[in-house]
Amino acid sequence: MILTGNHAVSYGVKAARAEVVAAYPITPQTQIIEKLAELIAKGEMNARYIRVESEHSAMTACISAEACGARAFTATSSHGLAYMSEMVFWAGLGRFPVTMAVVTRTLAPPWSIWNEHTDILAQRDSGWIMMMCESAQEAYDTAIQAFRIAEDERVLQPVMYGLDSFSLSHTAENVDLLDQGVVDGYLPRLDPSKLPVYIDPDRPITFGNLLGPDRMMEFRHLIKEAFDRAERVIDEAAAEYSKIAGRPQTGLFENYRCSDAEVVAVATGASSGDVKDAVDGLRDKGVKAGMIRLKTIRPFPGEEIKEAIGGVKVVATIDRDYSFGFGGILGRELSAYLSGDVFRYIAGLGGRDLTIEDFEGIINGALQRAEEGKGDAEEVWWGLKEVE
Amino acid sequence: MKAKVAISKASEGASGMTGMWRIKRPVMDEGKCNKCLMCWLYCPEAAIVRGKDGRIWITYEYCKGCGICSEVCPTKVIKMVKEV
Amino acid sequence: MFVEIRLHGRGGQGIVTAAEMVIEAVTLQDYYGQSIPIFGAERRGAPVTSSARVSDRPIRRHSQIYNPDIVAIFDPLFVYRQEVMAGLKEGGSIIVNHKQRPDIQKFKLFVVDATRIAMENGLVVAGWAVVNTAMLGAISKILGIVSKESLEKVVRKRWGGDLGERNIRATLQAFEEVS
Ligand code: SF4
Ligand code: SF4
């Protein structure tokens, strides 16, 4: 089937038999929830669509639905996510296994509807598992796997996954859909009795009440342990899915031609395919290049990546995000694990397009800086123009 | 099962002996009460009890003296009276 | 095979739909396709572009298209505009909706009177000839990998009944006429 990234998510959520969809429209995400609303209205999907007046309420409705034992989904983007943020933390710290698609979009001002990953990464300490999709196919696959990971008894944390604005959300590609029976076998119905918070009138509980300084750390530690276990659960979910789908899947990260690489680029999201094409092109020219694609950002697979590319001399990280006063978020985080030179590139902010030539330039640039012995202290803002 | 998040189960006195907080005491004129249950519904401490026989009374161990019952009572039969 | 196509039209002319139908058709021929939309707001009447990739292998990249192999021009008035030729590969093809043969020397030129074909099949909405299915036929012919049966399937999937049949006729007529 030919589907946009957005509609691939909708069909994934349908296949996962989400029971509650609560969402508020925002460009470039709106297609996701429009399609779900249509599927529900036509009776093709058995779920309740809750129209809410804001993203804050959308997440509140999803949390409440999960607390009643219903599988819940929402989608948002940039300002909607920022507005939702308080309840994003409630879902993460309250351990409600909601899943959410985030179409990554630049935060204003100045106003923009184009791609940047800073919106999703700004939620990285909220207790959510975080992923980034590379293709419409992966968006469909991830929509299904996200529920399985979130609801796994070893995890029980919400999962959000990002799609690059327009270049993935609105681009239509070939997507293979799975038979409903196959998905049902992979993702059984949610068993409410396993949920950390399950509101059952016969066993009344209170959630969200005051907890003193003498007890709080222990509950935070439980979430830490869930994230420790999540790495394994994510890889298992991917491995089992690849069996039912007959297609390879990526759990934590993808190792593309790194085994003998002398230079490795690290990136995430929809540009990853362009990076791979750049890697292939460079290999044709005799440059031993490779790529690490971050699929999962929380839990951050730093140790595993270190194991995969710890021996590589030159690493170039490419961030489509920025933390002021710190740097590109993923590059900075990864360099904490690696001992060699990590050349950090900031590229494509505000939706500026990145081509195969850009990625070749970045990889070659990192190699050259390493040869010149320049060290990796300075980050590079790729393609920066003079401000008039 | 060990808790996975901080939740509390409903139990008597879960918030401690809130009766100690009271500086004014609600006093109900039971004879004039029409059993509408507004006070029972609104009391934040569930300190108003419904007896099996339909009687309604206030348990002063947990009544914190907030006065909400007195505000919501449509027949104005709950008066807030100073303690001591 | 790896072909990049850029479509030029006006907001509301259905260039995104046309790009999607092109890749739906190539998919039926066991090729891979990718349709890249207008990035941002589409305004009715304003010049807009959308694009598509066709390949015999899975398409991984998501960058925009700068050096197309084929440019398809939906509106005759756009023929001599600078931006429609921008980046077109040497030896690339131009498919234009036009009554006459415009004077273009540098590239391979293919002409189809999509407006007339649309009118003949009653494909007019609010005074506008709806040329997207005719252009679909023309582009598919030039791509050289799409069968008429696939085109019929793709168009019928979108529009049922009489409207579907008229669109199919327009598609196939343009497929035959483009030269
Ligand atoms: S004063 Fe407040 S706490 Fe006491 S019975 Fe009335 S409502 Fe309940
Ligand atoms: S609100 Fe007043 S009338 Fe109603 S049950 Fe309470 S005391 Fe009685």
Side-chain angles (χ1 to χ4, degrees):
Chain A
M1 214 169 162
I2 300 289
L3 292 176
T4 62
N6 276 340
H7 285 168
V9 170
S10 315
Y11 281 100
V13 170
K14 171 180 182 266
R17 293 191 189 276
E19 293 164 289
V20 170
V21 176
Y24 191 81
I26 182 169
T27 302
Q29 167 280 119
T30 308
Q31 288 182 343
I32 299 178
I33 59 164
E34 272 177 354
K35 178 55 84 181
L36 284 168
E38 180 192 321
L39 292 168
I40 294 168
K42 281 189 186 158
E44 289 175 36
M45 181 177 169
N46 184 16
R48 179 78 182 272
Y49 189 99
I50 304 177
R51 283 175 294 176
V52 286
E53 80 292 354
S54 74
E55 289 83 358
H56 190 278
S57 301
M59 185 49 66
T60 310
C62 287
I63 290 171
S64 310
E66 292 280 354
C68 298
R71 191 171 277 165
F73 169 82
T74 188
T76 191
S77 180
S78 68
H79 288 263
L81 181 60
Y83 188 36
M84 182 193 277
S85 183
E86 182 191 9
M87 298 318 292
V88 170
F89 276 77
W90 270 84
L93 304 177
R95 310 191 62 185
F96 296 92
V98 182
T99 75
M100 165 161 72
V102 176
V103 179
T104 57
R105 163 183 155 184
T106 309
L107 283 151
W111 198 245
S112 169
I113 53 174
W114 293 281
N115 186 24
E116 196 181 301
H117 301 156
T118 312
D119 59 349
I120 190 168
L121 287 172
Q123 303 295 325
R124 65 193 182 277
D125 302 329
S126 59
W128 283 64
I129 288 168
M130 291 176 53
M131 298 179 151
M132 285 294 296
C133 303
E134 180 185 6
S135 61
Q137 180 70 64
E138 193 173 61
Y140 172 82
D141 298 337
T142 304
I144 296 168
Q145 288 173 48
F147 281 110
R148 165 119 168 196
I149 297 162
E151 293 167 9
D152 190 293
E153 269 194 276
R154 295 163 288 177
V155 178
L156 292 167
Q157 295 293 145
V159 177
M160 66 172 92
Y161 44 95
L163 282 76
D164 290 68
S165 163
F166 292 111
S167 62
L168 184 51
S169 67
H170 284 63
T171 295
E173 304 179 322
N174 302 64
V175 179
D176 287 334
L177 305 186
L178 298 181
D179 288 338
Q180 188 62 55
V182 172
V183 179
D184 290 346
Y186 175 79
L187 183 64
R189 289 189 75 93
L190 173 62
D191 175 359
S193 70
K194 297 201 175 113
L195 291 171
V197 177
Y198 175 44
I199 295 173
D200 174 358
D202 295 331
R203 292 178 304 151
I205 55 160
T206 311
F207 164 75
N209 38 354
L210 192 72
L211 189 69
D214 56 332
R215 305 272 292 285
M216 184 63 90
M217 270 184 79
E218 289 64 34
F219 285 103
R220 290 291 183 263
H221 195 257
L222 289 178
I223 299 177
K224 174 224 161 352
E225 289 176 326
F227 271 79
D228 289 346
R229 291 187 296 265
E231 296 205 343
R232 174 142 191 211
V233 174
I234 290 166
D235 271 337
E236 280 175 19
E240 275 198 44
Y241 190 95
S242 78
K243 269 189 236 154
I244 60 159
R247 279 180 271 110
Q249 298 290 313
T250 301
L252 295 171
F253 66 94
E254 184 182 350
N255 177 332
Y256 186 74
R257 305 188 80 168
C258 288
S259 58
D260 65 338
E262 281 162 6
V263 57
V264 165
V266 182
T268 192
S271 282
S272 303
D274 305 69
V275 180
K276 288 177 199 165
D277 282 352
V279 163
D280 288 0
L282 286 168
R283 287 227 168 218
D284 290 344
K285 292 175 201 152
V287 180
K288 283 189 176 168
M291 186 217 184
I292 294 286
R293 173 172 74 93
L294 278 166
K295 166 83 190 284
T296 303
I297 288 164
R298 286 292 182 275
F300 190 77
E303 288 296 342
E304 290 83 351
I305 294 176
K306 181 181 165 184
E307 222 165 272
I309 60 164
V312 175
K313 281 196 301 261
V314 184
V315 174
T317 59
I318 303 155
D319 269 287
R320 201 170 209 144
D321 60 79
Y322 202 70
S323 171
F324 296 105
F326 179 61
I329 296 163
L330 302 175
R332 278 292 195 193
E333 291 189 342
L334 188 62
S335 40
Y337 291 88
L338 301 177
S339 46
D341 278 346
V342 180
F343 297 96
R344 291 168 292 117
Y345 288 82
I346 312 301
L349 300 188
R352 188 169 296 177
D353 193 33
L354 292 173
T355 62
I356 290 161
E357 290 73 41
D358 287 317
F359 294 118
E360 280 187 5
I362 286 172
I363 294 168
N364 278 329
L367 272 176
Q368 198 182 333
R369 279 162 74 201
E371 256 167 48
E372 289 165 5
K374 283 214 172 111
D376 62 357
E378 240 174 85
E379 70 188 18
V380 174
W381 283 54
W382 183 255
L384 198 63
K385 304 174 196 164
E386 286 290 326
V387 177
E388 287 151 34
Chain B
M1 192 177 72
K2 261 172 75 177
K4 296 189 177 99
V5 291
I7 52 168
S8 55
K9 304 221 164 82
S11 62
E12 192 175 309
S15 321
M17 293 299 280
T18 40
M20 294 295 291
W21 304 5
R22 195 175 58 238
I23 50 170
K24 276 187 175 176
R25 157 191 298 255
V27 179
M28 186 191 290
D29 185 346
E30 241 198 285
K32 290 188 187 148
C33 161
N34 67 7
K35 314 276 189 292
C36 72
L37 294 176
M38 286 293 276
C39 57
W40 172 78
L41 206 59
Y42 272 86
C43 173
E45 294 302 329
I48 298 177
V49 186
R50 264 168 99 183
K52 281 209 179 71
D53 53 359
R55 258 194 73 213
I56 292 196
W57 68 90
I58 297 168
T59 53
Y60 292 106
E61 288 124 292
Y62 302 120
C63 164
K64 64 185 177 189
C66 69
I68 288 172
C69 54
S70 163
E71 280 291 327
V72 299
C73 172
T75 53
K76 298 288 165 225
V77 299
I78 303 178
K79 295 270 166 308
M80 299 303 290
V81 183
K82 249 195 162 161
E83 293 279 357
V84 294
Chain C
M1 180 193 189
F2 185 76
V3 176
E4 294 184 317
I5 310 167
R6 191 172 63 214
L7 296 77
H8 291 263
R10 297 178 185 275
Q13 250 180 349
I15 58 168
V16 176
T17 309
E20 283 188 11
M21 288 190 294
V22 168
I23 64 165
E24 279 167 20
V26 303
T27 304
L28 292 177
Q29 312 292 151
D30 286 330
Y31 283 79
Y32 295 88
Q34 184 188 57
S35 139
I36 305 161
I38 298 154
F39 278 41
E42 193 183 339
R43 284 148 304 183
R44 194 171 170 82
V48 284
T49 65
S50 116
S51 40
R53 292 188 169 102
V54 175
S55 173
D56 50 9
R57 282 189 298 166
I59 300 163
R60 302 189 292 199
R61 64 188 69 176
H62 287 99
S63 51
Q64 292 174 46
I65 289 171
Y66 300 93
N67 299 113
D69 303 276
I70 299 175
V71 159
I73 305 168
F74 281 47
D75 194 302
L77 287 177
F78 292 174
V79 171
Y80 295 111
R81 289 179 70 100
Q82 281 293 311
E83 74 259 21
V84 299
M85 313 284 176
L88 180 58
K89 275 196 194 125
E90 219 172 289
S93 303
I94 298 178
I95 306 168
V96 59
N97 167 21
H98 212 289
K99 274 197 200 22
Q100 289 139 10
R101 254 194 129 68
D103 180 27
I104 291 170
Q105 306 296 337
K106 259 175 83 185
F107 303 100
K108 281 185 237 156
L109 178 68
F110 299 94
V111 184
V112 63
D113 193 352
T115 306
R116 193 201 79 237
I117 294 173
M119 305 280 246
E120 280 174 8
N121 289 287
L123 300 171
V124 181
V125 173
W128 280 32
V130 184
V131 297
N132 57 5
T133 39
M135 290 303 285
L136 162 70
I139 296 167
S140 301
K141 176 68 175 290
I142 303 312
L143 271 174
I145 54 167
V146 178
S147 71
K148 289 185 185 174
E149 292 70 38
S150 298
L151 284 174
E152 277 191 40
K153 262 192 209 156
V154 165
V155 176
R156 197 165 282 134
K157 217 185 97 197
R158 272 187 199 249
W159 297 284
D162 175 53
L163 183 60
E165 294 314 309
R166 281 185 282 135
N167 272 296
I168 289 170
R169 277 206 300 276
T171 309
L172 299 182
Q173 209 174 320
F175 190 90
E176 294 293 347
E177 281 186 23
V178 65
S179 63

